[in-house]
Amino acid sequence: MPASRSVVIGVDSSTQSAKAAAVDADTGEILALGRAPHTVTGSAGARESDPEEWWSALAAAVRAAVREAGVPAASVTGIAVAGQQHGLVTLGPDGRPLRPALLWNDTRSAPQAAALATRLGGPASWPARTGSVPVASMTAAKWQWLREHEPHHADATTGVRLPHDHLTERLSGAAVTDPGDASGTCWYGTATGAYDPDVLDLIGLDPALLPAVAPSGATRVGTLTPAAAEELGLPRTVAVAAGTGDNMAAAVGLGLGGAGLLDHPVVSLGTSGTVFAATRVRPAAPGLAGFAATDGTYLPLGCTLNCTLAVDRFATLLGLDREDAAPGGDVVVLPYLDGERTPDLPHAAGLVTGLRHGTDPRAVLGAAYEGAAFTVLRALDELLAACGLDPAAPDVRDRPLRLIGGGARGRAWTETVRRLSGRPLVLPAADELVALGAAALAAGAVTGSDPVALATAWGTGTGTLLPPVPRDEETWNRIAKVLAAATPTLLS
């Protein structure tokens, strides 16, 4: 590829790894993908990672992507980071982390979340204020946990960042976030587009510790610092975009937003399971995270903690391959191995019921798939209503689900979602939609173009259409009955 062609780097900094996609800015083609792992530590609800490892992994992944793409470093014109949401990064005077980051799936802050939810008018007032009711995942609850359990760290903090904020700052030197990722903190007002002073007062967080909020994730916030350019092996002239959260970047990669598809639902099957859609309606539903999108629209989202990793754990326990599953039949599994976020059961453990002497282990694994898929899909109707749609209307009911994430590549996952949803599915042909969405943000920072329009032109959200099959109402109702009976007695 000639040096005059523009290559942009989209970074997906997730819970488990950093992935850097070197993308042709004209076509959206992924030229190469670099990877480097992250380490997650903790037990009994604790989940932490060292942000310095995120930075090292990002640098290694970017170097690998540029090397494997076979392009000169001078071809790279822009970079953007999409990061795991909600994590709490606390910085000291030297700009480096004071302690490991508290991750989105760290549930130790559940008591703090519950206490916060009762304040400022109670749970009903929070969605209108910040878009979401505080739960253990939200950053505000994690900051409150730190204040109560490690006050020496809270007192020594000179900067509070989300994971993608921290990496963007390491790249550019700019302390900046975007509306999308900021909306997952519970201290950002989705109605006002600014930090909520009442929430900050409530949790004792000085707004001077927070990054500025850029207009969008595609806003150019600077270029690479000399240190970052040297570590990544790229020119200092590379534009750095504000970046965003991973779910917001996936929406961009799918072409969802003001310049693309609105009110089209997505199911993402990864470490967490999510259902979301881009909409112009500001959501205020207690059961959903009422996020902002990164392009000025909104991104209501339902999130579960237990998805592919939980089902894989059942496969390991049963000694089965992950694809060696059969319908659960009378067996019901609620695979809440890490507590649960939707429904809000942070202290739950996994539950298996309906076993007999003759139960086929493959049915137990199939029931784990069903329990995880049910938990994600149960939020779908509420999501559609939050977009101002009638979930029972034929044109809404027949609107296809876009199925993404690692699970979307598995037959058992795809068929389980298809059977329990009764909806047509679109399986996008493009992999690495979070990294592609970040690449579109990087291209937007270089050219000033709308990143959703760019991704739509790239065609990264198109793919195979699977027609609907009749919804398995019997299985759905059986799981719903067990969940209702077990809450709160067995799941609290």
Side-chain angles (χ1 to χ4, degrees), residues 104-183:
W104 61 274
N105 53 351
D106 189 314
T107 58
R108 289 176 292 177
S109 52
Q112 288 73 30
L116 289 176
T118 65
R119 306 290 296 277
L120 300 179
S125 71
W126 281 85
R129 180 185 288 270
T130 69
S132 305
V133 177
V135 294
S137 301
M138 298 296 179
T139 324
K142 298 182 188 305
W143 173 253
Q144 190 71 358
W145 181 91
L146 192 74
R147 292 178 69 210
E148 294 178 14
H149 290 269
E150 298 179 11
H152 59 292
H153 279 139
D155 291 343
T157 296
T158 61
V160 171
R161 304 289 185 266
L162 296 167
H164 113 263
D165 305 344
H166 176 60
L167 294 172
T168 300
E169 190 168 11
R170 291 292 294 266
L171 289 169
S172 67
V176 66
T177 190
D178 85 299
D181 213 4
S183 67

Side-chain angles (χ1 to χ4, degrees), residues 178-230:
D178 85 299
D181 213 4
S183 67
T185 61
C186 263
W187 61 57
Y188 174 84
T190 55
T192 63
Y195 295 127
D196 188 311
D198 294 333
V199 176
L200 295 180
D201 284 346
L202 177 63
I203 62 176
L205 180 56
D206 184 348
L209 303 184
L210 297 174
V213 183
S216 79
T219 300
R220 180 183 175 128
V221 299
T223 60
L224 292 177
T225 67
E230 181 178 0

Side-chain angles (χ1 to χ4, degrees), residues 52 134 137 163 168 184 190 193 227 236 291 325 341 356 391 427:
E52 291 292 338
S137 301
T168 300
T190 55
R236 286 189 58 191
F291 295 144
R341 170 172 166 177
R356 302 289 185 184
L427 305 180

Side-chain angles (χ1 to χ4, degrees), residues 305-378:
L305 293 183
N306 299 277
C307 197
T308 58
L309 289 184
V311 173
D312 285 351
R313 182 58 180 156
F314 272 89
T316 299
L317 290 171
L318 294 164
L320 297 173
D321 182 88
R322 66 179 59 169
E323 292 292 340
D324 194 14
D330 291 335
V331 181
V332 171
V333 173
L334 299 177
Y336 301 162
L337 305 186
D338 283 315
E340 192 43 82
R341 170 172 166 177
T342 305
D344 185 16
L345 298 167
H347 304 296
L351 183 149
V352 181
T353 186
L355 296 180
R356 302 289 185 184
H357 282 289
T359 298
D360 186 338
R362 296 177 303 165
V364 179
L365 179 57
Y369 276 101
E370 291 167 352
F374 168 90
T375 306
V376 176
L377 292 171
R378 199 171 71 125

Side-chain angles (χ1 to χ4, degrees), residues 192-451:
T192 63
Y195 295 127
D196 188 311
D198 294 333
V199 176
L200 295 180
D201 284 346
L202 177 63
I203 62 176
L205 180 56
D206 184 348
L209 303 184
L210 297 174
V213 183
S216 79
T219 300
R220 180 183 175 128
V221 299
T223 60
L224 292 177
T225 67
E230 181 178 0
E231 191 147 3
L232 273 59
L234 296 176
R236 286 189 58 191
T237 54
V238 171
V240 180
T244 192
D246 51 4
N247 290 299
M248 294 77 193
V252 172
L254 288 164
L256 304 185
L261 291 172
L262 290 169
D263 304 323
H264 280 250
V266 177
V267 170
S268 177
L269 304 172
T271 303
S272 62
T274 58
V275 54
F276 59 89
T279 181
R280 294 197 186 279
V281 178
R282 191 174 71 83
L288 299 175
F291 295 144
T294 197
D295 73 333
T297 58
Y298 297 97
L299 198 76
L301 180 145
C303 179
T304 67
L305 293 183
N306 299 277
C307 197
T308 58
L309 289 184
V311 173
D312 285 351
R313 182 58 180 156
F314 272 89
T316 299
L317 290 171
L318 294 164
L320 297 173
D321 182 88
R322 66 179 59 169
E323 292 292 340
D324 194 14
D330 291 335
V331 181
V332 171
V333 173
L334 299 177
Y336 301 162
L337 305 186
D338 283 315
E340 192 43 82
R341 170 172 166 177
T342 305
D344 185 16
L345 298 167
H347 304 296
L351 183 149
V352 181
T353 186
L355 296 180
R356 302 289 185 184
H357 282 289
T359 298
D360 186 338
R362 296 177 303 165
V364 179
L365 179 57
Y369 276 101
E370 291 167 352
F374 168 90
T375 306
V376 176
L377 292 171
R378 199 171 71 125
L380 180 61
D381 284 354
E382 190 170 359
L383 172 84
L384 294 170
C387 294
L389 304 173
D390 177 3
D395 65 318
V396 177
R397 188 183 61 239
D398 296 338
R399 199 165 293 180
L401 292 177
R402 281 163 172 77
L403 194 64
I404 65 171
R409 295 190 289 272
R411 175 194 56 81
W413 272 113
T414 301
E415 291 306 312
T416 303
V417 171
R418 195 178 179 197
R419 176 164 53 90
L420 289 183
S421 71
R423 291 174 174 269
L425 302 183
V426 171
L427 305 180
D431 290 326
E432 309 303 340
L433 286 161
V434 172
L436 278 167
L441 296 178
V446 173
T447 66
S449 300
D450 186 295

